[in-house]
Every structure is written in structure tokens, then in C-alpha cells.
Amino acid sequence: MPHHRYRPFHERVDVPATDRSWPSARLEHAPLWVPVDLRDGNQALAEPMDTPRKRRFFDLLVATGFKEIEVGYPSASRTDFDFVRHLVTSGAVPDDVTPVVFTPARPELIDRTFEAIEGLPKAVVHLYIATSPVWREVVLGRDRSEVWRTVREAAERMARRAGDAHGVRFQFSPETFNLTEPDFVLELCDGLTRLWDASPDRPVTHNLPATVEIATPNVYADQIEYLHRNLARRDSVILSVHPHNDRGTGVACAELAVLAGAQRVEGCLFGNGERTGNVDLVTLALNLFAQGVDPMVDLHDLDAVRDTVEECNRLPVHPRHPYAGELVHTAFSGTHQDAIGKGLAQHARRAAELGVPAAEAPWAVPYLPIDPADVGRSYEAVIRVNSQSGKGGVAYLLRTHHGLDLPARMRPDFSRVVQEATDDSGRELPAKELHDLFTETYMVEEPLDAREFEEVGTVPGLLDALAGRGVHVDVLDLDPGEDGTAAFAECRVNGAVAWGAGEGTAAPVRAVLSAVNRASAR
């Protein structure tokens, strides 16, 4: 492959050497999450959202607990303009939520943006322009001084349009920040901090996008820390990041950026966005949750969140997507199933010892970084059976779904039966079919019918009755079960050994007879 055509990041951008502090920092609280699904995510859709879909998505974001939401690019299309006006006129924006609108550095588009937000008690107007050398040369055809002049004139116009409206704040994004000279980024950001007269009670947001990922996440963290340390009026600046996922490391970039001083993270639910997408806010939030940190958003019904996003975006969430995918809490592998089954049992015992509900006990279950119930998942899908599954998973499903607690020595026997069935079919075996297979295999009623021996009542009486017919049986293992539960028996008949099971009246007798029938057939 022609790898020589591409340059490493250090030949494309200078990252000032710093005395790094971010590697020893810890994530101890959530940043301000800012979903950009209604703008950045929307512009990446083959079928952009109309007002009803956008409103449904907006209501989801509000209900989830996001306090700053980018609602659109009102100068880009009539649909976006109309949606922002819909939010204004319908009173859909709660008092504690701040809408963000996006605008390029062009006078007529800035004016259109302010027309869209007229009547909102508060808003953030987000100004952007591409700043890196390749964009300046190829896209804009401007040098550094010309870019700064364009930005300054746009910022001055925004300040005039906002007037004395204290509820309007400003945001600036030097798009392609991660490919831009750091001194130029400082020049632009500090210039706007002064021009907009930022203060702690009316801060400016400087948003530093990894517009197209070009390096490992530690490089982005170095860039963010450099700005964090050198920005003027730092107490009047909200330092924000907007990672994309071109290298597949958007989540890591965001987490390291927060360690490096970022206070705000823009992204999309489940990572929608152009090319490989924006950083995934759901994954970021639940990563914090899994570390014992309050994520500051409510994802207790994650399936409902996912369903709404899928319907609004008309894009599926991958079954293996972190936390939210249909299969992420599911184990098919036998060793994984065994560990999870033991872990869940230990968790229940520990909760009982502590005298608290299982939902409140400290979580430590192998292969499950969080309790699926905390995000609205049931345990039904945690263990599922196919040809890769083992005895632990099979036993877990029979116990949890059907109350059949197989003896430890019986589990390998049924596991072989299950594996043969799944190898033949090549598909998963649902819990009901698993129970049907168990019944067909171990509750064998011919040639000896339990009804013929109802009068014997007990297993010793049964053995005597069978011996009278010339059938000599050794009971190797018998789990008689409790009242109303199944019984299990392992028997040897003429050298052949088999397991059987019985339910209902005289369950132990039925279990022994089933084992005898199976052994006799071998």
C-alpha cells in the first residue's frame, strides 16, 4: 500500500512540548455535555430531520437532562430556521436549557441566525471558521491575517446584534483546530475573548474541534492542555472540545481532553455524524458512570433512548455498540456464561448479607462492567445459548426462566445435548426451545409409564417393583427436589447410565423412571 503518500501528524502541525499534567489527572466529575445531533448529526443524515422528528429528538435530549443543546444551523436551510422558530414560539425550551445555534463568519448569515433566535430568553451563538493551513489555502484562499479580519468583523457584528441582551452568549470554533498552528489559535481565541469582553458571569466558549482525527489521543490532549494553560482570561472562558472519530478514537480523545482541562464536550448520541461520526456522548457518560462518577444525564431507560434516536435518525445502532447495543450484555461463550452466572449468584448473596436490595449493592460481576438493570435492561438477554455455549449458561437459563436447577453432575450431560442441537441447526436456542429440548430428552415416558407405578409412592418402592419385573436399577444420584419442583436422577441399568427428570406428583419416581427408560434405550 502507498503509505509514503501520507505524512505523520508531527510534520503537519506543531504541538508545543509541555510539562504534561493530564496523564496523572483523574475524571472525577462530568463535563458539560452538549449534544449536536440536531445540527452536526442532522447534516450527516441521508434524510435530514423535519420539524416533528427534530422536536421529538429535542424533547428526548431535554428529558435526558442535557442543559445546553445545539438546535440547528438556521441560516443553512429553511427547515433549520423554521425549527428554531418553532422552539421559540411553542415554548418548548425549559428555563434551565440553553439552545445553541451555529453560524459561519458571513454577515448575512449572522443576521439570519439572530432573526431565528429572536424571542429566546437565552442562547449561545456559535461562530465558526476553518483555520488550518490546508483549509486556508485550498478552501478559503486567505492567509492568517485575512482569516483574523474575517473573524473579527463577524464577531463585531454578533456583538452589535446581541446588544445588551445578557442572555446571549458567544462561542467560537476554529474548525480544524487540531491541524492549526497553536499560536494562531491563541491569537484568534484571545482576540475574541477581548472583543466580546468575556467575564466569569458571561463567559465565552472556545470550542476546539478535532475536525478530522490525525493523531493518537495523547496528541490532542497535549494540544488542549497547551490552550488550557495559555488562554487569556481563563476564568472567563469555557474550554470545549468537539472530537470526531476518523481514527476510531473519538471517545479517548474526549476523555483525555477533559483530563487536560476541557470543561465541555460536544458530541452526538451513539456517535452519529459525518464520515465516521462525532464522539459518542452516551458512551462517554456511561464510562463515567462505570467509574462511580455521576454522569449528570439520565440513561436509566437506554433502550427507549436508542429507539427514539434510531427512529429520528433513521439509522440503526450497532448490536455491539458500547452499552446500548442489543448484544453488549449478552454472553454466548460457555466460560463467560459460567463466570457471569456465578457472579450474579454471589451478588445476590452479598446483597442479602448487607441487608440491601440487589439493585443497591456494590457491583462486581465478571464480564459485566455495569449492572444491565441500571440502564433498563433485564437479565433475560445476559446469557443466551448457541453452539459456543457451555453447561453454566444452559443451567442458568433453565434455572432463571423455568425453575429447573440442574444438579452439577447433570449439567455436562445436557450441555452435550444442546451443543449437538445447535451444531446441527447453526442458530441460537431461545429459552423456551431449550426447555422443550430438556423435556424431550429427560422426561421419557416409554416403555415404563409412571402411571403404572403410582401406587408404589417412593423410590425404594419403585426399585422393588422394577426388580420384580427383572429390571435391576442402581440409583447413582438423586436430587428429589422440593415440594412442587423438579427431581433429577442418574441411574445405571445393565451397565448403561443415564439421567432423567420428573415434575409434578411423585417427581422423584418419575425422574428415576425417565432415567431407566433412557438407559434401557442405549
Side-chain angles (χ1 to χ4, degrees), residues 100-361:
V100 182
V101 286
F102 193 71
T103 182
R106 290 173 53 185
E108 71 279 10
L109 302 185
I110 291 170
D111 291 345
R112 180 71 167 165
T113 301
F114 275 88
E115 290 170 12
I117 64 170
E118 186 176 352
L120 281 175
K122 57 183 176 181
V124 173
V125 181
H126 180 180
L127 172 69
Y128 82 95
I129 193 170
T131 56
S132 63
V134 68
W135 265 259
R136 295 196 307 259
E137 296 163 8
V138 175
V139 180
L140 300 178
R142 302 172 193 172
D143 61 20
R144 284 175 48 157
S145 64
E146 290 170 322
V147 169
W148 166 233
R149 183 170 62 250
T150 300
V151 169
R152 185 182 67 246
E153 292 172 354
E156 290 171 345
R157 192 177 194 91
M158 288 169 59
R160 288 195 300 271
R161 289 299 306 248
D164 296 329
H166 195 76
V168 176
R169 294 191 293 108
F170 302 123
Q171 174 176 337
F172 173 62
S173 285
E175 191 184 358
T176 65
F177 154 78
N178 58 326
L179 275 167
T180 303
E181 306 93 328
D183 67 305
F184 186 42
V185 175
L186 276 176
E187 177 186 345
L188 293 170
C189 290
D190 288 348
L192 293 182
T193 301
R194 289 191 302 272
L195 190 155
W196 284 328
D197 194 22
S199 61
D201 65 338
R202 194 186 182 192
V204 64
T205 298
H206 288 313
N207 184 55
L208 308 178
T211 306
V212 179
E213 278 196 307
I214 61 162
T216 49
N218 60 295
V219 174
Y220 189 53
D222 284 344
Q223 293 174 306
I224 297 302
E225 186 166 34
Y226 176 79
L227 269 293
H228 167 59
R229 291 185 176 188
N230 290 283
L231 282 167
R233 299 196 202 180
R234 185 64 186 86
D235 63 347
S236 301
V237 172
I238 298 171
L239 184 57
S240 175
V241 293
H242 183 124
H244 278 255
N245 201 43
D246 301 88
R247 291 169 54 93
T249 58
V251 166
C253 280
E255 291 179 330
L256 268 58
V258 173
L259 292 175
Q263 302 149 283
R264 178 181 185 271
V265 177
E266 294 187 348
C268 287
L269 303 193
F270 310 115
N272 178 44
E274 292 179 300
R275 303 182 311 281
T276 56
N278 292 282
V279 70
D280 176 7
L281 295 187
V282 172
T283 297
L284 286 171
L286 290 176
N287 280 354
L288 285 181
F289 178 75
Q291 295 294 311
V293 177
D294 184 352
M296 302 303 290
V297 286
D298 183 0
L299 297 168
H300 79 277
D301 191 353
L302 192 53
D303 284 352
V305 174
R306 184 192 65 197
D307 291 347
T308 299
V309 172
E310 286 182 328
E311 289 176 15
C312 291
N313 285 342
R314 295 178 180 169
L315 288 173
V317 172
H318 195 279
R320 296 293 182 188
H321 194 99
Y323 300 108
E326 181 184 351
L327 297 176
V328 296
H329 301 296
T330 300
F332 290 102
S333 164
T335 55
H336 290 205
Q337 291 174 339
D338 183 60
I340 291 171
K342 290 176 179 175
L344 290 173
Q346 172 62 22
H347 178 73
R349 287 194 295 271
R350 186 176 185 193
E353 292 168 0
L354 294 173
V356 298
E360 296 179 15

Side-chain angles (χ1 to χ4, degrees), residues 9-25:
F9 78 90
H10 59 269
E11 294 181 7
R12 304 172 68 189
V13 64
D14 175 43
V15 180
T18 62
D19 181 17
R20 298 174 179 87
S21 63
W22 64 261
S24 59

